[in-house]
Amino acid sequence: MSLTFHWFLPTYGDSRHVVGGGHGLPAGAAGGQRPATLGYLTQIARAAEQLGFTGALTPTGAWCEDAWLTTAMLAGETERLKFLVAFRPGLVSPTLAAQMAATFQRHSEGRLLLNVVTGGESHEQRAYGDFLDKNARYARTGEFLEIVKSLWEGKSVDFTGEHLRVEEARLARVPDPVPEVYFGGSSPAAGTVAARHSDVYLTWGEPPAQVAEKIAWIRRLAEAEGRTVRFGIRLHVIARDSADAAWAEARRLLEGFSPEAVRAVQAGLARSDSEGQRRMLALHGGSTADLEISPNLWAGIGLVRGGAGTALVGSHAEIAERIAEYHRLGIDEFILSGHPHVEEAYWFGEGVLPILAAGGLWTHPAGGPAAADALAPVPFAAEVAARP
């Protein structure tokens, strides 16, 4: 199967430096020299669409713009690009969420994907009026998805759970197609929900051995539920014509992290009760030393940003090989980003995607040629073609 690539919409602002935001950081902590105007986000979305990305992830939180409203506006500015909308099930009723998704699918002609975010930060959840603890939030998410999926099947739903209750819930029109559910989480409670309800399980960019463990874990749980799940990974990327140029860019970004900023962000992230965030922090320990934690995998982003904190750094061919390595583990979807998001989309789209296309790992979703005329190095293409 062809690999699927998604890009990212920085609805908190963009910059030639790393813009913060994410887990553990307060509202107002993000923001860059390029405001997240509809015009600028349209530039990013159109670039991603032209280059061959299938969709674009839009984050959720107090530190960014609302994902539903932003992507609904961008749908009219694009033709093919899908929108992976992150949303929190505890903040809206399941019936309303199912209806919103159906409306979005109808008006966008089927371009909605849903990234269900249970919420790893209790203090941020409380700001939205949600006072459940982490395990209870996951239990509620399971109930929420059970209701939503039943409504999408056209059923009339009566449901009484520990956290949610609906009576005679039904949609006037079901979504066509039904949006796929993307879901991530590293705790035992998250694994249970992922196995029962997710179409795609997402992990942040950990080293391959750790990613393999996660894949095996979710596969076992899904098999016990009689289901199969696809797998995706969330990474930043710095791709250049040479490894030296890519690592020079990583060093430039790192030089923009003041010790005070690193300490402040790490202190905020330390409050997180997200297991995934804990795993991200463990990759660098708050230190700027030894940030290449696996070949071409750089943990520097996580020093000043919550959530996904690692980047693939290297030449186009090196990054293509790392992607092939993750694919061999079972990863089929890649959600990528870079700073700034317009320029890095082109670096990856024009440099890496043609190599993957030449190696038989990717085809442009519009059915056209790869984003650039560059050819894959013969050794890489030949090696991929020889794999079973």
Side-chain angles (χ1 to χ4, degrees):
M1 65 177 293
S2 174
L3 297 181
T4 299
F5 292 92
H6 306 278
W7 198 239
F8 185 83
L9 294 172
T11 54
Y12 44 83
D14 202 4
S15 173
R16 293 184 181 274
H17 299 277
V18 177
V19 180
H23 285 249
L25 300 181
Q33 294 95 333
R34 301 182 186 180
T37 63
L38 188 62
Y40 181 63
L41 294 174
T42 297
Q43 280 186 274
I44 298 172
R46 287 177 174 170
E49 185 171 69
Q50 178 264 319
L51 290 165
F53 292 94
T54 294
L57 172 65
T58 309
T60 181
W63 46 278
C64 58
E65 300 289 354
D66 178 75
W68 284 104
L69 293 174
T70 301
T71 54
M73 294 178 184
L74 290 174
E77 303 294 333
T78 52
E79 297 178 359
R80 174 190 52 79
L81 192 72
K82 296 181 180 182
F83 295 97
L84 182 49
V85 174
F87 80 106
R88 303 187 185 195
L91 307 183
V92 62
S93 83
T95 306
L96 179 57
Q99 181 184 21
M100 290 166 62
T103 300
F104 198 116
Q105 283 296 66
R106 192 154 48 253
H107 293 313
S108 70
E109 299 182 334
R111 291 193 283 145
L112 176 67
L113 305 168
L114 288 178
N115 177 27
V116 177
V117 180
T118 297
E121 316 306 329
S122 294
H123 68 279
E124 186 178 17
Q125 294 295 124
R126 289 193 293 269
Y128 282 102
D130 178 14
F131 289 83
L132 294 183
D133 64 24
K134 177 181 171 181
N135 286 334
R137 290 197 298 271
Y138 276 112
R140 180 181 59 195
T141 296
E143 295 178 5
F144 181 97
L145 290 173
E146 184 174 345
I147 295 168
V148 166
K149 288 193 165 186
S150 294
L151 291 169
W152 286 344
E153 292 172 359
K155 297 177 181 178
S156 179
V157 181
D158 292 290
F159 181 93
T160 300
E162 183 180 357
H163 303 286
L164 297 175
R165 179 181 177 183
V166 299
E167 293 182 0
E168 299 182 8
R170 191 176 182 87
L171 296 182
R173 297 177 66 179
V174 298
D176 183 23
V178 170
E180 291 194 304
V181 172
Y182 290 65
F183 184 87
S186 299
S187 67
T192 299
V193 176
R196 291 177 181 172
H197 298 290
S198 68
D199 297 297
V200 180
Y201 174 80
L202 294 177
T203 178
W204 286 331
E206 299 179 11
Q210 296 178 25
V211 170
E213 292 175 355
K214 275 190 172 181
I215 290 174
W217 168 52
I218 295 297
R219 274 183 176 157
R220 287 194 302 270
L221 293 175
E223 287 172 1
E225 298 287 339
R227 303 184 68 245
T228 58
V229 176
R230 303 199 314 278
F231 295 92
I233 193 168
R234 171 78 178 94
L235 288 155
H236 305 276
V237 64
I238 303 173
R240 295 294 184 270
D241 294 339
S242 69
D244 287 346
W247 285 109
E249 176 63 11
R251 288 192 297 272
R252 184 192 70 81
L253 292 176
L254 186 62
E255 289 168 359
F257 305 167
S258 70
E260 295 77 17
V262 171
R263 283 195 294 270
V265 171
Q266 293 303 297
L269 296 177
R271 297 192 300 165
S272 174
D273 52 6
S274 163
E275 176 63 16
Q277 186 62 69
R278 185 196 65 77
R279 292 168 70 103
M280 282 284 104
L281 293 177
L283 295 178
H284 54 70
S287 170
T288 58
D290 302 320
L291 289 173
E292 188 178 4
I293 56 175
S294 184
N296 303 107
L297 185 63
W298 186 60
I301 302 292
L303 292 171
V304 292
R305 185 190 188 281
T310 55
L312 293 177
V313 180
S315 68
H316 305 308
E318 287 174 334
I319 289 180
E321 179 52 43
R322 296 287 79 74
I323 286 171
E325 180 181 10
Y326 278 117
H327 176 52
R328 290 193 291 271
L329 299 178
I331 298 292
D332 293 322
E333 303 204 18
F334 294 79
I335 303 174
L336 306 174
S337 58
H339 300 87
H341 286 73
V342 173
E343 289 90 325
E344 289 297 339
Y346 276 99
W347 275 114
F348 183 87
E350 294 178 341
V352 180
L353 288 181
I355 296 176
L356 295 169
L361 291 179
W362 177 78
T363 56
H364 197 292
D373 293 330
L375 296 176
V378 173
F380 177 83
E383 182 211 348
V384 171
R387 290 177 189 143

